Amino acid sequence: MKKSLLTIVTTASLLVLSSGMAFAVETWDCSYKGTWTDKGDKEGSAFTWVMKWKNTDEKKDLWSVEGKYKDEDGEANIKGTCTGESCIFEQLYTSGKWKNETYYFIGKYNDKESKTGVESSFKGTWGNSADNRTDGGGWEAKALCKEVE
């Protein structure tokens, strides 16, 4: 009898726990166009990012960010996190002049709703190590983002 009662209580507990509201992951696709500069230079080089944002907690203040990057020097993969309006991420070149080199970014973004999606502006610095994300130079980018249904 104890075993049967324990089984019933355990099953009932699991049903109660699983009947709560499930956390729905929010996902956005953004296509950024921007420029990066070497420290001290005024003229920049153009780049594109195609990035996917996914919120990773119920409060929607922690996001994972990943995507593809392309500039005149090659292509790269981007991976990072954002909390609040601040982000850190790494860029690993997969082709071109800097193949297998990693660069480290830090930045802030600002989103503004529009009739066609969300306009996202991004600005920050990049560096040559995870400990110094500012020694390389600056970057900025803008995108129109769409929520993935």
Side-chain angles (χ1 to χ4, degrees):
M1 182 68 149
K2 286 184 181 179
K3 188 172 183 182
S4 297
L5 183 58
L6 180 60
T7 302
I8 292 169
V9 170
T10 303
T11 304
S13 298
L14 288 173
L15 287 172
V16 169
L17 288 173
S18 66
S19 66
M21 294 295 287
F23 169 59
V25 174
E26 186 178 343
T27 304
W28 290 79
D29 285 336
C30 302
S31 294
Y32 288 91
K33 290 184 179 183
T35 56
W36 63 268
T37 57
D38 284 322
K39 198 167 198 166
D41 286 349
K42 292 185 183 199
E43 296 217 10
S45 297
F47 69 81
T48 59
W49 279 337
V50 177
M51 298 177 75
K52 185 173 292 290
W53 293 65
K54 289 184 182 180
N55 73 308
T56 55
D57 73 345
E58 290 185 60
K59 296 176 187 169
K60 298 187 180 182
D61 62 355
L62 182 61
W63 296 80
S64 68
V65 182
E66 60 182 70
K68 301 288 184 184
Y69 171 97
K70 187 174 184 177
D71 67 14
E72 64 188 15
D73 294 323
E75 296 180 3
N77 292 327
I78 299 269
K79 212 173 199 183
T81 57
C82 299
T83 185
E85 293 180 350
S86 298
C87 301
I88 60 169
F89 40 91
E90 297 179 2
Q91 170 187 304
L92 172 64
Y93 273 95
T94 57
S95 70
K97 181 178 175 179
W98 306 113
K99 185 175 181 178
N100 297 322
E101 294 288 328
T102 301
Y103 294 94
Y104 303 86
F105 290 69
I106 189 167
K108 291 193 174 281
Y109 69 93
N110 184 17
D111 291 339
K112 179 181 165 188
E113 288 191 40
S114 73
K115 292 179 183 178
T116 55
V118 172
E119 296 172 6
S120 180
S121 298
F122 231 141
K123 190 172 185 174
T125 58
W126 64 274
N128 296 301
S129 74
D131 294 332
N132 189 347
R133 296 173 186 262
T134 62
D135 66 346
W139 59 272
E140 57 184 61
K142 291 185 178 188
L144 181 62
C145 302
K146 303 261 186 193
E147 187 170 9
V148 177
E149 302 289 327

